[in-house]
Amino acid sequence: MLELAVKVSMLGTVSNYRLSQTFTKVCLDHGAIINESLASATTTKHVCLCVQWGAKAFRNVRIMPPGSGIVHQVNLEYLARVVFAGEDGVLYPDSLVGADSHTTMVNGLGVVGWGVGGIEAEAVMLGQALSMVVPPVVGYKLHGALPSLATSTDLVLTVTKHLRSLGVVGKFVEFFGPGVAGLSIADRATISNMCPEYGATIGFFPVDHASLDYLRQTGRSEKMLNYVAAYLKAVKMYRDYNDPSQDPVYSQVVELDLATVVPSVSGPKRPHDRVPVSEMKDDFLSCLKNKVGFKGYGIPEDKLPTTVPLEYEEQQYSLRHGSVVIAAITSCTNTSNPSVMLGAGLLAKKAVEKGLTVAPYVKTSLSPGSGVVTYYLRESGTTPYLEQLGFHLVGYGCMTCIGNSGPLPPQVVEAIEQGDLVAVSMLSGNRNFEGRVHPSTRANYLASPLLVVAYALSGRADIDFQSQPLGKGKDGEPVYLRDIWPSREEIQEVEKKYVIPAMFKEVYTKVQHGNERWQSLEAPDSVLYPWDPASTYIQCPPFFTTTAASEKDVVNARVLLYLGDSVTTDHISPAGSISRVSPAARYLAQRGLTPREFNSYGARRGNDAVMARGTFANIRLVNKFLKKPGPRTLHLPSEEEMDIFDAGQRYKQEGVPLVVIAGKDYGSGSSRDWAAKGPYLLGVRAVLAESFERIHRSNLVGMGLLPLQFLPDQTPASLGLTGRELISIKLPANLRPRQLLPVTLDDGRSFEVVVRFDTEVELTYFHHGGILQYMVHRMATKA
């Protein structure tokens, strides 16, 4: 019998969790997010049984049940060893390959680990080694100390902007210097977590005394601490950040004075567009007037003062450009850091004591990364104050950061649509790409948990906290942010008192038990998974029943989409709610589901029919074929406008292969394998882009698609491409990594592109039609 592996990655809660499992022989290759408030108990049970079946069917499998928390935070607080102790007594460094881009969070604890495409991870779990080009290592030197008002979130947003502008895609970044010594492990993990946002493969912090202190604080045994310290010191991997003689030689060194960090947010459309809070009001007002782009909405001058009355819970309000309608403390980036979480709790306490409130139409939520957070918030006495401001615990998971905020009140949506308003979400997340957080929030800002609470209290993004009050207190006097902002010393005192080893032990001794519903499940006891053909959540995917045409030349292909710069996997891979007028909605309606039962694309990642229909379904997708953004394209040569899925089906019926044209940083954002699987199912054979984000390029290779990169001095515009050409790509028999390939057009023009197969192993995958097909072939041959 073939030895197979399974990976289960829990990123959520009893109300919202993601699971991802990898089974090759049984063709199960999915992830799913189930929202129990929308999904039926039968469906939820079905998915949970599938996971438990995997634990029975395969060896060396450990499952974290729903409700455990975000996998990155659980990894940091519980799973990471730093140094492994083998059964034979051999010690070796801990390492990690994860199927999520924010796997890098554990770099903050001194563990080398990074995210790969889910497709690539599946092959690794089946015994295939990772291959990569040896990367340059950028040394990022930190010195000085953070100012009293700055948080780790402000620091990471500063680092993200700096490194993204520097260009570190495909590189390793290692932080060093005396400034690191003053950062807690939670601070370091925050910086490492946002590694995908600044584009590097890892953002690494070598182990020092603070790492050992963190292991002790989170309940690891003294025996473990002893051998971790002894081993790392013996092999000279233990660092004293104040000793410059220990600094390695790097490929490049950049520096940051921590004293220059100021309170900041990032947005309104990208995580690396940092804005100092002191400049936020002017910046937002400028964005309203700027032409449409990453920092612009193109609102006409006469529409800037637009206000729309709103009646909510028998009270009268008004919405306008800049109104905050979502405020969420969410995601692994910040909710793993006690300093900013307790800071938010203390700020909420002071706000309530002053008599401030949050407007009831603002959708507020608290979704930490693990149960430890609720433990210390409760013990510190700050939970009731957060709840009074609407920040109730909604579960442990990514939630709002991944678009699972749930619906806004209908009155709010109607008001936004009536005034064509640029409504705002404020979240302590890591990504804010267009259409990701909520369809109704065109401006989305990343901020520390403290600032999330502050903006919720103000109800607006265009506020100058220095000169404008948050509101009036119960004494009728104006209350400014400075009046309720907790001091660093105050936060540290509470953290020292309430973030203790006992709470980590309390939470994690029970982490694998699950609740009674989980324990009551009885999974099928079978070698092969018993598929339910009636399920609209989990179906056997077609990846092993279709033959990839990867080795064939691409002849007379049509351009499905003509895209610009910074097209993210949020634009490509289905995410968020399912529009009622989408191909996916039509598919579900045909199977008897009502709109309330559609759930989200994330919840239906196990159904390829839904996911194919949702590929490129982002409402903010800008396709140069059309004047308005949205999930539409032109069928050529008919020039008929239609949904992207429908166009793909029509091309498929006509026997026409497809390509996608794009600009810089194609595929940035989450490491979603469906951003490659979806185009594959639509009939896309190649993507021609100015540059690729690392993980997405790997996923394209894994699905047998051609990642083709324009030469450095060329762009689609400079080549005069309109997207209406017929495109042909000749593949030589002796194709080599990074070879120049000729691209010919039907009008006789031609140009060369670089084929972005970076290693010989990737070429092998391509020749087999993809990495999964290669692994099946290899395992079948061995059997």
Side-chain angles (χ1 to χ4, degrees):
M1 177 181 174
L2 296 177
E3 291 187 9
L4 302 182
V6 58
K7 170 258 300 179
V8 177
S9 173
M10 292 303 181
L11 301 180
T13 69
V14 289
S15 63
N16 191 315
Y17 67 88
R18 172 184 295 174
L19 56 87
S20 177
Q21 49 289 359
T22 305
F23 312 130
T24 298
K25 186 69 175 177
V26 298
C27 304
L28 178 56
D29 174 28
H30 296 312
I33 297 176
I34 300 301
N35 187 322
E36 292 186 5
S37 65
L38 296 177
S40 68
T42 301
T43 301
T44 303
K45 182 177 180 180
H46 183 191
V47 176
C48 291
L49 284 173
C50 178
V51 179
Q52 287 201 345
W53 166 81
K56 287 185 176 181
F58 304 104
R59 294 186 299 168
N60 196 26
V61 174
R62 179 162 54 168
I63 289 176
M64 297 298 187
S68 303
I70 301 174
V71 66
H72 316 303
Q73 188 164 342
V74 173
N75 188 32
L76 189 74
E77 295 175 349
Y78 175 63
L79 294 175
R81 269 76 160 184
V82 181
V83 171
F84 260 95
E87 293 181 0
D88 54 1
V90 175
L91 300 176
Y92 55 96
D94 193 356
S95 62
L96 177 64
V97 173
D100 186 285
S101 49
H102 290 105
T103 297
T104 53
M105 186 173 186
V106 79
N107 296 165
L109 187 57
V111 176
V112 173
W114 64 85
V116 299
I119 303 163
E120 190 174 13
E122 291 158 0
V124 171
M125 287 179 284
L126 297 175
Q128 179 69 0
L130 273 178
S131 66
M132 65 182 300
V133 177
V134 176
V137 180
V138 176
Y140 199 107
K141 186 175 184 178
L142 299 176
H143 54 86
L146 286 175
S148 60
L149 296 180
T151 68
S152 59
T153 309
D154 305 319
L155 171 58
V156 73
L157 296 181
T158 302
V159 170
T160 298
K161 180 177 181 178
H162 186 193
L163 286 176
R164 179 58 78 170
S165 64
L166 184 69
V168 292
V169 173
K171 300 178 182 179
F172 283 9
V173 174
E174 180 171 306
F175 294 88
F176 73 107
V180 176
L183 299 178
S184 69
I185 297 303
D187 292 339
R188 301 176 195 180
T190 302
I191 298 171
S192 295
N193 181 286
M194 283 195 76
C195 182
E197 281 65 55
Y198 47 83
T201 302
I202 68 172
F204 184 69
F205 289 84
V207 172
D208 70 342
H209 70 89
S211 311
L212 299 181
D213 291 343
Y214 180 82
L215 292 174
R216 182 175 290 108
Q217 181 189 40
T218 51
R220 269 74 162 206
S221 69
E222 286 299 321
K223 177 183 178 182
M224 174 184 174
L225 266 68
N226 290 336
Y227 71 68
V228 167
Y231 171 79
L232 292 177
K233 289 177 180 178
V235 297
K236 300 188 184 302
M237 292 175 63
Y238 188 86
R239 185 71 60 85
D240 179 353
Y241 287 103
N242 289 309
D243 182 359
S245 68
Q246 295 186 17
D247 296 343
V249 176
Y250 297 103
S251 305
Q252 179 184 3
V253 174
V254 293
E255 297 188 23
L256 175 67
D257 181 356
L258 296 176
T260 63
V261 175
V262 297
S264 303
V265 297
S266 276
K269 301 180 183 183
R270 297 189 300 187
H272 54 278
D273 289 332
R274 185 185 67 87
V275 184
V277 170
S278 61
E279 301 173 14
M280 177 60 171
K281 180 178 180 178
D282 291 340
D283 188 83
F284 180 80
L285 295 177
S286 296
C287 288
L288 290 179
K289 295 181 286 187
N290 292 345
K291 67 177 183 179
V292 176
F294 296 122
K295 294 289 288 185
Y297 293 97
I299 304 298
E301 194 75 30
D302 63 327
K303 299 294 184 182
L304 293 175
T306 300
T307 61
V308 181
L310 170 68
E311 182 177 339
Y312 189 77
E313 294 184 352
E314 300 181 352
Q315 295 291 321
Q316 297 299 320
Y317 305 93
S318 65
L319 296 185
R320 56 191 179 86
H321 297 300
S323 290
V324 173
V325 296
I326 292 177
I329 300 175
T330 181
S331 96
C332 48
T333 303
N334 291 289
T335 65
S336 63
N337 194 325
S339 66
V340 291
M341 294 300 289
L342 286 168
L346 291 172
L347 189 145
K349 180 177 183 293
K350 293 173 182 287
V352 170
E353 290 172 344
K354 287 282 188 180
L356 297 180
T357 60
V358 174
Y361 63 80
V362 179
K363 193 177 188 70
T364 47
S365 61
L366 170 65
S367 51
S370 81
V372 173
V373 179
T374 50
Y375 198 116
Y376 63 65
L377 287 178
R378 183 181 70 244
E379 293 301 306
S380 67
T382 57
T383 296
Y385 299 100
L386 285 165
E387 291 178 345
Q388 286 186 61
L389 296 182
F391 290 94
H392 293 269
L393 176 69
V394 295
Y396 306 98
C398 299
M399 302 209 179
T400 299
C401 187
I402 193 64
N404 293 328
S405 63
L408 289 173
Q411 309 96 303
V412 174
V413 174
E414 290 169 9
I416 293 171
E417 293 176 349
Q418 179 184 336
D420 192 24
L421 300 177
V422 180
V424 176
S425 76
M426 288 285 176
L427 64 151
S428 64
N430 43 48
R431 293 190 177 126
N432 55 341
F433 302 123
E434 292 180 287
R436 176 185 175 97
V437 175
H438 194 282
S440 295
T441 58
R442 292 162 66 186
N444 305 282
Y445 287 92
L446 307 181
S448 69
L450 291 89
L451 286 174
V452 168
V453 177
Y455 278 105
L457 289 165
S458 74
R460 52 191 288 202
D462 55 336
I463 180 174
D464 179 357
F465 286 127
Q466 185 63 32
S467 61
Q468 295 176 283
L470 296 169
K472 289 186 177 181
K474 55 189 175 185
D475 58 2
E477 294 297 316
V479 178
Y480 294 85
L481 182 56
R482 58 181 174 269
D483 298 329
I484 62 173
W485 193 271
S487 68
R488 181 183 300 277
E489 293 73 23
E490 188 177 359
I491 295 171
Q492 290 175 342
E493 181 181 347
V494 175
E495 181 178 355
K496 183 178 181 180
K497 183 176 182 180
Y498 293 106
V499 184
I500 56 177
M503 68 175 58
F504 289 91
K505 292 180 179 179
E506 172 71 18
V507 169
Y508 285 114
T509 52
K510 304 174 182 177
V511 71
Q512 294 187 57
H513 297 164
N515 57 28
E516 292 183 3
R517 292 176 62 192
W518 174 263
Q519 295 173 8
S520 67
L521 295 174
E522 294 185 10
D525 188 11
S526 59
V527 175
L528 298 181
Y529 180 70
W531 299 101
D532 179 0
S535 174
T536 57
Y537 280 90
I538 295 181
Q539 287 294 325
C540 183
F543 304 126
F544 299 99
T545 58
T546 58
T547 302
S550 57
E551 287 196 282
K552 298 180 181 178
D553 296 336
V554 179
V555 180
N556 291 332
R558 284 289 182 187
V559 177
L560 178 65
L561 294 163
Y562 191 173
L563 308 171
D565 294 342
S566 296
V567 173
T568 72
T569 51
D570 284 279
H571 292 100
I572 309 167
S573 177
S577 59
I578 298 174
S579 168
R580 298 187 182 191
V581 295
S582 65
R586 295 196 293 271
Y587 168 84
L588 293 172
Q590 290 169 0
R591 278 145 188 81
L593 275 68
T594 64
R596 177 173 175 77
E597 297 171 309
F598 288 171
N599 210 325
S600 66
Y601 283 112
R604 297 189 180 276
R605 289 179 68 185
N607 189 333
D608 59 278
V610 173
M611 298 302 281
R613 286 164 172 79
T615 301
F616 294 109
N618 190 296
I619 61 172
R620 306 297 178 198
L621 181 73
V622 177
N623 180 4
K624 295 184 180 182
F625 284 149
L626 303 173
K627 294 182 179 179
K628 293 183 178 181
R632 306 273 288 175
T633 194
L634 294 180
H635 171 267
L636 300 171
S638 70
E639 299 284 335
E640 183 180 347
E641 182 180 334
M642 59 181 66
D643 290 326
I644 293 170
F645 174 79
D646 295 337
Q649 292 298 103
R650 185 163 168 181
Y651 282 126
K652 189 175 294 187
Q653 293 170 1
E654 296 168 348
V656 177
L658 300 173
V659 299
V660 171
I661 295 177
K664 299 180 181 67
D665 300 326
Y666 182 77
S668 58
S670 306
S671 58
R672 294 180 180 159
D673 48 4
W674 268 108
K677 292 175 180 175
Y680 169 87
L681 294 177
L682 290 179
V684 173
R685 291 283 312 282
V687 178
L688 289 78
E690 293 180 50
S691 64
F692 293 89
E693 203 77 356
R694 176 184 62 88
I695 296 179
H696 183 60
R697 184 202 64 82
S698 171
N699 274 332
L700 292 174
V701 174
M703 289 307 298
L705 304 185
L706 280 166
L708 304 175
Q709 188 163 315
F710 294 104
L711 299 182
D713 59 342
Q714 294 179 341
T715 67
S718 70
L719 292 168
L721 297 179
T722 66
R724 286 173 166 77
E725 301 88 354
L726 290 172
I727 294 177
S728 297
I729 304 158
K730 179 75 173 178
L731 299 180
N734 60 339
L735 186 62
R736 303 185 307 276
R738 289 183 174 262
Q739 182 176 348
L740 294 180
L741 294 182
V743 176
T744 59
L745 310 178
D746 57 328
D747 60 9
R749 291 181 292 159
S750 65
F751 56 91
E752 289 186 320
V753 293
V754 180
V755 61
R756 283 297 310 277
F757 297 128
D758 290 352
T759 65
E760 291 289 347
V761 173
E762 289 184 343
L763 271 177
T764 301
Y765 297 154
F766 178 71
H767 291 320
H768 281 83
I771 194 169
L772 300 179
Q773 287 83 352
Y774 167 76
M775 290 306 301
V776 170
H777 173 78
R778 179 184 172 190
M779 295 169 73
T781 302
K782 287 184 176 181

